[in-house]
Each structure stands twice: as C-alpha cells, then as structure tokens.
Amino acid sequence: MRKEVRLGAAALVLCSLAACGAPDGTPAAPPPPPTSAPAPPPTPDQVAWLNEFCEATKVFFSPPQPPEDLRDEFVAMDLDTYLSSVSSELQSVDFRTTSLAPERFPRGAELVAAYTKTAEELSTKFGGYARQFDVAEEALRGWVAEVSSTLKTLKPQGLDLATLSAADGTVAQAHQQAEKCRPTKEGKPSATPVDLPAAEDGENLAACGDGRCEVLVGPTAVVPAPRRYGFTLFRVRSISGGVMQVGAKFGSGAITSPLDTGRSTIMNGLEVKAVAVGDGKAVLSFSPG
C-alpha cells in the first residue's frame, strides 16, 4: 500500500513538470505572459515642449520643396530663393531650440543636441550656396538638386524622434498629440479652373502698356511692361490647376506671385489681378495700385 502511494505521488510530480493535459487528453494551457504596466500619459507641458521642438526642427520633417522646373527669366531667382529658405530654416534650428527646457521631456537634451548639431553642419555648407551671387543657372540647379536630395533623407546625428517614440510610450503619446509634429504639405496653391469671361481688351496685350487693361493670356505670355511703373518685363510663367503664376522685373529687382481667380497683388505700385483662371488660359488685368 505504501509503495502504491509513493508511486502515485511521483506520477503527480512528473505530470506537473511535463504539463500533462486534462483527463480527456486536452493539452494544458500555457501560463499567461507577464503583463507590463502601460506607459504614463504625457503631461501638457511635455506635449507643448514637443510642439515647440517640432516647429523648431520642421526642416527635418517638412523640408521646403524645390521650385517647379520652369525655363524663363525668373528661374535663377526661384533657385536662389529655395537655397536661401533652406539655409534660413537650418540656421533657425539652434536659435529656436534654445528656449526649450530639455529636462521637461524624456531625453530632451539628447534630442535637441542631435538635431542642432546636424542642422549646424548643413547650414554651414548650404549657406555657402545661398550667399553666392551672379552664379550660372546650371550651377544653381545642381545645388538645388543636391540640397533637395539631402533633405529627403535628412536625419539627426544621434537620437532620432521616431526612434525615441518607438522606445518610449509616453513620447509616442506626446507625438500623437503634438499638432506641429504632423507633416505639412507645401507647394504652390491649387484651385479649380473656372469658365472665363470675355476680356475687355480681348487678346490685345499691347493695351496693357499704359497700366490699364483686361486681357486674355496664355501660359507663357509676355505682356508689354508698363514703363511708367518701372517695369522692364512682365511674363505669365504658367497656368495650371486653376492658378496663374506671373513674374515681373523692374529697376530694383524682380518678383513672382501665384494668383488664382479673384486674387490680386501689388507689384511696384501696379495692381495685377487674376480676373479668372481657366484651363491653360486666364483673364489678367492691370490697374493703378
């Protein structure tokens, strides 16, 4: 009898070690995995900190887009403006992060240092491009291609916000709540083309020579420049997506502007208005500003 008891007890021990199933042969359920406590939610200060950080470092998340590939008298200005905007955004990273209190955010000091170091190094290089004057257009195009390619894959030298968000649940929640951390779409405005009204001066572009006209123009029209306003050139640069882009040169410089239906701009004292923008055609008007 004692021998049978000892054998039964031994069988129970072996069964527990081997995870024996139920009497009907069903395998025993595995033990539940250990549970980990959820990450604490971010404080309002932490969300505000990350908002400011993303605004300061937006060149990493939403870099300026290169200009449209147009071929006219204003291309060099487009390319130079793009290089200057990138240089300015890179320079502002260090300046705008100095007001942040890194102790308010998990690994905040490490995060700021990684982004500011990278921005400073690129600013030195790209800033040199932006400060060049009287450079050939092809050289500018090469620099713009280099800069835009670099920005597409730009990451900090060190701790990256995406990596920190993946490792820290509190940071991940703060990132979801921080509106400034969401990518923004940049580029020229777009609008729906409209039916064009009859232009008062039809296609007689010469009527614009005195600074008062309403004419039908195409996407590359050169409109006679109103000399009394100092213009040396006025060109319609493109018409697409319900937007007309115009450019003007005058003694002190040049300016370009995108205009959709009903929108106007003042150029050197002259009001330039897109009366209506259609599909590849537009009605343009000049009047004293």
Side-chain angles (χ1 to χ4, degrees):
M1 181 65 179
R2 292 180 180 175
K3 183 177 180 180
E4 292 175 355
V5 172
R6 286 198 299 269
L7 288 174
L12 287 173
V13 172
L14 290 172
C15 188
S16 64
L17 291 175
C20 293
D24 61 0
T26 304
T35 58
S36 58
T43 66
D45 278 349
Q46 288 175 328
V47 175
W49 188 97
L50 191 56
N51 255 323
E52 291 186 42
F53 175 82
C54 286
E55 179 68 14
T57 59
K58 65 181 180 179
V59 67
F60 287 83
F61 310 109
S62 300
Q65 296 300 306
E68 185 180 355
D69 188 19
L70 298 176
R71 305 274 175 169
D72 60 22
E73 301 87 347
F74 301 91
V75 169
M77 184 177 69
D78 290 343
L79 300 173
D80 187 66
T81 298
Y82 171 76
L83 292 171
S84 296
S85 67
V86 171
S87 176
S88 177
E89 288 202 25
L90 288 168
Q91 290 175 358
S92 71
V93 172
D94 183 54
F95 173 76
R96 300 184 70 173
T97 54
T98 54
S99 62
L100 296 175
E103 67 277 3
R104 294 185 181 178
F105 200 79
R107 301 176 70 181
E110 186 180 354
L111 200 62
V112 169
Y115 281 82
T116 54
K117 179 182 178 182
T118 303
E120 183 178 358
E121 291 181 359
L122 285 180
S123 174
T124 301
K125 180 179 181 180
F126 294 160
Y129 296 163
R131 290 190 292 272
Q132 297 289 333
F133 300 101
D134 298 325
V135 178
E137 182 181 310
E138 287 308 308
L140 288 172
R141 286 183 179 276
W143 291 342
V144 166
E146 177 190 349
V147 171
S148 62
S149 177
T150 300
L151 294 183
K152 287 178 182 178
T153 57
L154 183 59
K155 289 187 177 181
Q157 300 178 36
L159 183 62
D160 181 70
L161 178 57
T163 302
L164 181 58
S165 296
D168 190 313
T170 299
V171 175
Q173 294 176 68
H175 191 266
Q176 291 178 343
Q177 297 177 37
E179 294 182 0
K180 298 295 185 180
C181 295
R182 298 169 188 166
T184 57
K185 294 182 179 181
E186 295 187 5
K188 66 178 184 179
S190 61
T192 302
V194 300
D195 293 333
L196 299 180
E200 290 183 7
D201 297 301
E203 297 182 49
N204 179 24
L205 302 186
C208 296
D210 63 355
R212 290 180 181 274
C213 66
E214 183 180 278
V215 293
L216 178 68
V217 295
T220 60
V222 176
V223 181
R227 298 289 178 178
R228 66 192 182 103
Y229 289 95
F231 285 85
T232 58
L233 174 71
F234 186 93
R235 176 185 287 280
V236 177
R237 305 190 65 198
S238 65
I239 301 175
S240 64
V243 177
M244 171 174 59
Q245 186 176 158
V246 297
K249 286 191 174 185
F250 35 84
S252 58
I255 187 172
T256 65
S257 179
L259 302 172
D260 55 6
T261 296
R263 192 179 300 271
S264 64
T265 184
I266 303 297
M267 293 183 170
N268 220 35
L270 180 72
E271 182 182 26
V272 179
K273 182 177 182 179
V275 178
V277 183
D279 187 7
K281 291 282 186 177
V283 175
L284 167 75
S285 73
F286 285 170
S287 61

